[in-house]
Amino acid sequence: MTPTSAAPTAEDARVAAFEARIAAGESIEPKDWMPERYRKQLIRMMSQHAHSEVVGMLPEGNWITRAPSLRRKMSLIAKVQDEGGHGLYIYCGAETLGVDRHDLVEQLLNGTAKYSSIFNYPTLSWADMGVIGWLVDGAAIVNQTILAKTSYGPYARAMIRICKEENFHKRQGYEIVTTLARGTPAQRAMVQDAVNRFWWPSLMMFGPSDTDSPNSGELLRWKVKRKTNDELRQRFVNLTIPQVQAVELTVPDPDLHYDATSGNWEFGAIDWTEFNQVIRGNGPCNKERLDARRAAHEDGQWVREAATAYAEKHASRATEAA
Amino acid sequence: MTDSQWPLWEVFTQGATGEPFEHAGSVHAADAEQALQNARDVYARRGEAVNLWVVPSTAIVASAPSDAGPFFEPGNDKAYRHPQFYKVPKGVKVF
Ligand SMILES: [Fe+2]
Ligand SMILES: [Fe+2]
């Protein structure tokens, strides 16, 4: 504290009490006092997370009509529906912080909200459905398992619910990958190509490196985050490489090697220029995704209007009858 | 273009008959019937519930966390409400 700063205020005391609760491992609930900054950071994180679930339906939704069998089609529909559900769990959690879902959806549709950069890559082949379930949902599981212990109660509870469902997503993906990897040479080549395209974007899902992650310190202190981006990324790589080897595929990283001292699979440098380009809206599919999301929202307008009209009609009948 | 997100309903699920209802989350819906259907689609896709309650969020009355201390205090200092408070002869099994 500098000599010119004022005596501790009531606000300082509240922050101290809040931080003591966090340090003691308590959960923060919606009606509890919290610093404005904590509220803002959570709204930012939770809305971006919810948007990612919703936009995440699009690359896979593309393939529902082209799934190679009824079994695969059923799984894919169920997975995409789950992602919609995940979006709703987290929007509902974000609303406990005093924001309106309407405003969050509006920010997504008008392009001012951020969502996970991974969904701005195209899904070019059926193998991409396998690799997304395996790598993208696999990375999400690593992230969300830790978020299930986040200090904000409603967010943690939404994550617990989501984690239970994600394992199905990952396994159905890995099953597709295994089937293709053991299939014809053309199928093997197709799945290897999908891994080549999705490997680095999956590692980028954990966000910027710790040395370049301005919010991390505060979020870790408030136990919003429980592990750093780099720790989570390393954990994902360590978990995934044995799965890559089991199906005799490779990842497009000449620098990848096992380090016996740390027990880590050390990987090469990530292209952060690409990451920043995609985050800023210049990825291969940013525009396509938002256009698809807007069209879906507008096409659903009549359903929302019909539901409102139906509810009003029934309410007025009930009053007449009374 | 009207784009209402509809009123908010709190959802409670009962995992199996005989179990208590537990808060699961919330849904937006135009009326109670639709709230039940939305709650089923969002919170019970895998047999998580055998019964559902939906309650308008505005109907929930909650205790205030700021005076949780004094509010629950009356229950905190009454050790005589617990079985351990009572002495019994050594070696006798009471339970
Ligand atoms: Fe998800
Ligand atoms: Fe998922």
Side-chain angles (χ1 to χ4, degrees):
Chain A
M1 209 178 266
T2 58
T4 50
S5 71
T9 59
E11 173 81 3
D12 293 336
R14 284 171 128 183
V15 172
F18 170 84
E19 294 195 338
R21 289 190 60 199
I22 301 255
E26 281 185 45
S27 261
I28 305 301
E29 292 298 331
K31 294 176 82 190
D32 293 349
W33 185 87
M34 60 188 84
E36 255 334 280
R37 182 94 189 126
Y38 178 85
R39 186 184 299 276
K40 283 225 173 76
Q41 288 282 26
L42 272 163
I43 293 172
R44 180 185 64 83
M45 272 180 75
M46 293 177 78
S47 60
Q48 286 180 12
H49 193 163
H51 297 327
S52 302
E53 302 286 349
V54 169
V55 177
M57 291 192 278
L58 299 170
E60 292 180 301
N62 271 340
W63 278 89
I64 288 174
T65 56
R66 291 173 286 169
S69 69
L70 189 56
R71 184 175 185 273
R72 294 287 189 229
K73 193 191 287 249
M74 288 190 311
S75 306
L76 194 56
I77 291 172
K79 180 186 188 291
V80 170
Q81 192 193 3
D82 275 352
E83 305 301 3
H86 295 177
L88 291 173
Y89 301 159
I90 309 171
Y91 282 131
C92 127
E95 285 193 301
T96 65
L97 291 160
V99 284
D100 202 316
R101 188 177 73 182
H102 173 81
D103 298 335
L104 300 179
V105 170
E106 198 49 48
Q107 288 161 14
L108 174 64
L109 296 177
N110 69 24
T112 54
K114 280 186 187 164
Y115 56 86
S116 182
S117 56
I118 192 83
F119 301 117
N120 289 320
Y121 290 88
T123 42
L124 305 176
S125 74
W126 170 250
D128 290 11
M129 296 304 98
V131 170
I132 286 179
W134 173 34
L135 298 182
V136 175
D137 290 74
I141 291 171
V142 167
N143 193 22
Q144 290 169 342
T145 310
I146 302 298
L147 273 176
K149 293 173 214 137
T150 190
S151 58
Y152 188 56
Y155 197 16
R157 291 193 285 275
M159 286 304 110
I160 291 168
R161 202 169 279 283
I162 286 178
C163 284
K164 284 188 192 152
E165 304 183 345
E166 288 292 358
N167 288 332
F168 142 60
H169 300 177
K170 181 175 173 179
R171 278 180 76 122
Q172 65 87 35
Y174 196 52
E175 189 189 273
I176 295 172
V177 168
T178 309
T179 307
L180 295 173
R182 292 185 182 150
T184 65
Q187 287 174 321
R188 261 197 83 75
M190 180 168 77
V191 72
Q192 180 63 62
D193 169 67
V195 173
N196 292 348
R197 284 181 288 109
F198 277 97
W199 176 251
W200 289 110
S202 300
L203 296 199
M204 293 176 198
M205 281 175 69
F206 295 94
S209 172
D210 298 345
T211 50
D212 190 29
S213 180
N215 294 319
S216 265
E218 184 180 64
L219 294 176
L220 285 164
R221 186 159 49 91
W222 284 337
K223 295 189 183 169
V224 173
K225 279 187 168 186
R226 310 297 302 251
K227 298 254 184 236
T228 70
N229 295 352
D230 286 335
E231 284 171 331
L232 293 170
R233 188 164 14 243
Q234 185 65 60
R235 179 192 285 240
F236 171 71
V237 173
N238 290 352
L239 277 170
T240 308
I241 295 302
Q243 296 160 6
V244 175
Q245 292 171 328
V247 289
E248 292 170 37
L249 293 170
T250 57
V251 297
D253 180 358
D255 296 326
L256 184 87
H257 65 277
Y258 185 71
D259 181 76
T261 335
S262 62
N264 286 333
W265 282 94
E266 306 276 354
F267 49 93
I270 292 175
D271 181 0
W272 292 115
T273 333
E274 176 184 321
F275 175 78
N276 288 324
Q277 280 298 319
V278 181
I279 283 284
R280 286 201 196 103
N282 304 321
C285 297
N286 295 58
K287 187 179 175 310
E288 188 183 326
R289 298 291 181 243
L290 276 188
D291 287 348
R293 191 58 230 137
R294 280 190 206 112
H297 190 76
E298 281 157 26
D299 290 349
Q301 181 65 23
W302 73 269
V303 181
R304 295 191 290 277
E305 280 167 8
T308 307
Y310 180 83
E312 279 164 4
K313 191 170 95 181
H314 276 253
S316 66
R317 277 201 191 148
T319 354
E320 276 165 30
Chain B
M1 187 155 73
T2 60
D3 185 22
S4 157
Q5 294 277 325
W6 297 320
L8 197 61
W9 304 71
E10 298 302 322
V11 178
F12 298 81
T13 55
Q14 188 187 34
T17 52
E19 281 183 7
F21 282 72
E22 218 179 68
H23 184 240
S26 60
V27 291
H28 287 266
D31 63 12
E33 184 188 354
Q34 197 192 102
L36 267 181
Q37 287 167 356
N38 290 355
R40 174 202 59 199
D41 293 345
V42 177
Y43 296 102
R45 284 194 298 282
R46 290 178 174 77
E48 291 96 332
V50 294
N51 277 303
L52 282 176
W53 288 347
V54 290
V55 181
S57 299
T58 49
I60 303 236
V61 182
S63 60
S66 53
D67 46 52
F71 187 73
F72 293 107
E73 222 265 306
N76 287 340
D77 61 346
K78 295 180 176 58
Y80 52 87
R81 287 182 174 172
H82 298 278
Q84 293 76 10
F85 184 75
Y86 300 94
K87 293 181 182 69
V88 293
K90 272 210 178 78
V92 181
K93 273 206 159 169
V94 187
F95 303 107

